[in-house]
Amino acid sequence: QVQLVESGGGLVQYGGSLRLSCAASGSIFDISGMGWYRQAPGKERELVAGISTGGNTNYANAVKGRFTISMDNAKNTVYLQMNSLKPEDTAVYYCNAVVVAFSGLEYDYWGKGTLVTVSS
């Protein structure tokens, strides 16, 4: 089994910053990539940013230039630095990891989510 533990959410004012962290642990042979998704009330879950272990990144248009995703491969930890936060960034943020098991098969894992609230 693999566990993803997120931290760093909270309440911040418009224009402020937060840094989310997500550490993966358990039966991990390798990780193909990690990412952050978010789900606002009444909306579907959407990709915010993703990163491969090779360092390739992709971002949702809504966060480009404001958010930065990074990964510490040795610690199996992914970070999301969020700057210039807006009220529309308010959501539950979920960590995702594509994990390669010792069997060689890939599995998708999710964290429980961390709430980010941006006040105006």
Side-chain angles (χ1 to χ4, degrees), residues 57-111:
T57 60
N58 62 296
Y59 295 92
N61 287 335
V63 307
K64 282 182 181 177
R66 299 188 297 123
F67 292 9
T68 302
I69 190 170
S70 59
M71 186 172 171
D72 185 333
N73 293 347
K75 296 181 179 179
N76 290 334
T77 299
V78 65
Y79 306 95
L80 186 68
Q81 178 66 43
M82 305 185 294
N83 299 328
S84 303
L85 283 161
K86 305 175 182 180
E88 50 262 46
D89 294 317
T90 295
V92 177
Y93 284 70
Y94 295 92
C95 176
N96 170 263
V98 179
V99 175
V100 181
F102 288 97
S103 64
L105 298 176
E106 286 191 343
Y107 297 91
D108 221 17
Y109 289 94
W110 292 90

Side-chain angles (χ1 to χ4, degrees), residues 45-56:
R45 190 174 297 189
E46 61 177 2
L47 173 69
V48 176
I51 186 168
S52 70
T53 50
N56 294 319

Side-chain angles (χ1 to χ4, degrees), residues 1 7 12-13 19 38 47 54-56 58 60 65 79 88 104 119-120:
Q1 270 290 13
S7 61
V12 65
Q13 289 188 334
R19 188 191 193 212
R38 67 185 181 187
L47 173 69
N56 294 319
N58 62 296
Y79 306 95
E88 50 262 46
S119 65
S120 55

